[in-house]
Amino acid sequence: MFIAPDDFRIKADNFDLTRMENVIRIACGAFYLPHVAGKFVGFGVLNPAIVKFFASAGLSPPEAWVYIAAAAELSVAIALTLGICTRFAALGSVGLMAVAVYSLQTVKGFGWTWNTGGYEYPVFWGICSLALAVQAWQVWLGRRQDVAPAGRPLRIVAAE
């Protein structure tokens, strides 16, 4: 109903860089990769500074939450970059950015600009992800309206 095998297909259209939604989608996905890598100092070895931040944000046990965050970010990165399950991945990205903003607020208090540890960047990233989600859901809903309840394409017959 909400998810279909077609959602998991990598299509050439997903990489048409003349379509701005593809450029934003790929950027939103690819930008997660350094954030995933930054959670580790070696293969599977957690970055102590990140663990401390998660602990300060009240996420307990912090080590487990770092692994959960890294897995979620990697999943969203792959899905958005490749254009698979975009409407769900973009909503996941919005959720991740909401948690990032909440965590920054909890640890550092109000601070807007990214260079002072504020949440300007995650808010922008979340807004871009929300725009991607809205666009992807509109496309999906538009396709569903073109299909009759029995799964057959609708035929529009012109009146003569």
Side-chain angles (χ1 to χ4, degrees):
M1 179 163 109
F2 280 118
I3 199 158
D6 192 52
D7 291 324
F8 294 94
R9 290 195 181 97
I10 300 171
K11 303 170 194 120
D13 286 348
N14 292 347
F15 301 97
D16 177 1
L17 299 182
T18 62
R19 295 174 49 201
M20 286 303 105
E21 64 268 17
N22 286 343
V23 173
I24 300 299
R25 177 185 47 76
I26 292 167
C28 281
F31 277 38
Y32 271 105
L33 296 174
H35 289 270
V36 173
K39 290 181 175 39
F40 302 95
V41 291
F43 182 73
V45 179
L46 295 176
N47 183 336
I50 299 296
V51 173
K52 182 179 176 186
F53 176 83
F54 274 59
S56 298
L59 300 168
S60 181
E63 296 84 2
W65 282 105
V66 173
Y67 283 117
I68 291 168
E73 290 174 358
L74 184 59
S75 299
V76 167
I78 291 168
L80 287 178
T81 303
L82 297 178
I84 54 178
C85 295
T86 300
R87 61 187 188 278
F88 298 109
L91 287 176
S93 179
V94 171
L96 283 169
M97 291 303 100
V99 172
V101 169
Y102 170 79
S103 299
L104 284 165
Q105 173 65 29
T106 301
V107 173
K108 298 186 177 199
F110 179 77
W112 181 248
T113 58
W114 68 270
N115 58 332
T116 60
Y119 36 80
E120 165 189 32
Y121 178 61
V123 167
F124 177 75
W125 202 351
I127 291 168
C128 289
S129 297
L130 182 60
L132 284 172
V134 168
Q135 189 272 338
W137 278 97
Q138 285 176 336
V139 167
W140 183 77
L141 289 170
R143 285 188 193 138
R144 292 199 33 94
Q145 290 175 354
D146 293 340
V147 177
R152 294 182 304 271
L154 292 174
R155 290 187 186 183
I156 300 175
V157 180
E160 293 184 29

